Amino acid sequence: MSANEDQEMELEALRSIYEGDESFRELSPVSFQYRIGENGDPKAFLIEISWTETYPQTPPIISMNAFFNNTISSAVKQSILAKLQEAVEVNLGTAMTYTLFEYAKDNKDQFMENHQPVNSTIPISSIISVETPNTAPSSKKKEKKEQLSKAQKRKLADKTDHKGELPRGWNWVDVVKHLSKTGSKEDE
């Protein structure tokens, strides 16, 4: 069989095996992602496998560059990729995407034993301290705008129609007056 026929058969098999599995995602007919571990698990990681044109005779491209893996140190990523490459060499020439995903699932704890989450986010305390002064004055301003006296409300109601909209032309400039001022300059 040619490489394309092998890929078509494996693609069909992957679709049927992982149908309904939320961890599996087909990015394209030759590129797949699988989340190892549950959502919210600090030791969960995402593997992306992309087939080359001559796959399975040549190794697929395995990547862990997904945003999901940002908390994993590069040393742990390299370790996982090295172990997956060993599995690739053993399975070269056969359909191996399913095998690699299952190998990663079976060895997740071993892969992540040296994992220490890398904190690449801003601490929440600094966000709170920055936002707190800004939120307090704006809430006070809103309260002042909402409190109108009866006379102010009556005056506002008299200016608007029954829908609360101002009548057409309420802010128009007296056109005749305006043109008489500008027209006199043009006459000179």
Side-chain angles (χ1 to χ4, degrees), residues 1 28 49 60 81 83 95 100 103 125 135 142 156 162 173 185:
M1 278 196 279
S28 74
I49 296 179
L81 290 172
K83 291 174 183 169
L100 293 173
Y103 175 71
S125 59
T135 55
K142 286 180 185 175
L156 186 62
H162 66 283
V173 177
K185 290 180 184 174

Side-chain angles (χ1 to χ4, degrees), residues 7 9-39 45-51 55 68 96-102 105:
Q7 288 180 12
M9 287 179 57
E10 185 173 3
L11 176 61
E12 204 172 296
L14 287 171
R15 286 176 176 162
S16 65
I17 291 169
Y18 291 118
E19 182 179 357
D21 188 343
E22 293 178 9
S23 298
F24 178 77
R25 196 162 135 215
E26 181 180 334
L27 302 176
S28 74
V30 295
S31 186
F32 312 92
Q33 283 184 341
Y34 197 85
R35 183 186 68 238
I36 310 298
E38 296 299 315
N39 253 347
F45 57 93
L46 196 76
I47 297 175
E48 186 175 323
I49 296 179
S50 301
W51 298 342
Y55 169 86
F68 187 86
M96 68 182 91
T97 304
Y98 172 79
T99 308
L100 293 173
F101 287 151
E102 292 302 308
K105 279 171 41 179

Side-chain angles (χ1 to χ4, degrees), residues 47-112:
I47 297 175
E48 186 175 323
I49 296 179
S50 301
W51 298 342
T52 59
E53 284 185 31
T54 53
Y55 169 86
Q57 281 67 39
T58 57
I61 299 164
I62 304 172
S63 170
M64 289 188 68
N65 294 333
F67 182 76
F68 187 86
N69 296 331
N70 276 358
T71 60
I72 302 172
S73 69
S74 58
V76 171
K77 286 181 192 176
Q78 291 303 321
S79 168
I80 293 170
L81 290 172
K83 291 174 183 169
L84 288 171
Q85 279 306 124
E86 291 172 13
V88 166
E89 290 169 16
V90 171
N91 293 299
L92 202 58
T94 63
M96 68 182 91
T97 304
Y98 172 79
T99 308
L100 293 173
F101 287 151
E102 292 302 308
Y103 175 71
K105 279 171 41 179
D106 295 342
N107 295 293
K108 175 189 156 227
D109 294 330
Q110 179 189 350
F111 286 174
M112 298 300 280

Side-chain angles (χ1 to χ4, degrees), residues 124-181:
I124 293 173
S125 59
S126 67
I127 293 172
I128 292 171
S129 64
V130 170
E131 291 182 4
T132 303
N134 294 340
T135 55
S138 64
S139 62
K140 288 179 184 174
K141 288 179 185 175
K142 286 180 185 175
E143 289 173 15
K144 288 181 181 177
K145 287 182 181 178
E146 292 174 10
Q147 297 175 350
L148 298 174
S149 69
K150 285 184 181 180
Q152 290 171 325
K153 290 179 185 176
R154 199 174 305 119
K155 195 173 187 180
L156 186 62
D158 290 341
K159 286 182 181 178
T160 62
D161 61 3
H162 66 283
K163 295 178 185 174
E165 297 175 6
L166 294 166
R168 184 169 182 249
W170 68 273
N171 62 351
W172 290 359
V173 177
D174 184 356
V175 177
V176 175
K177 187 177 179 183
H178 178 72
L179 289 176
S180 66
K181 286 182 181 177

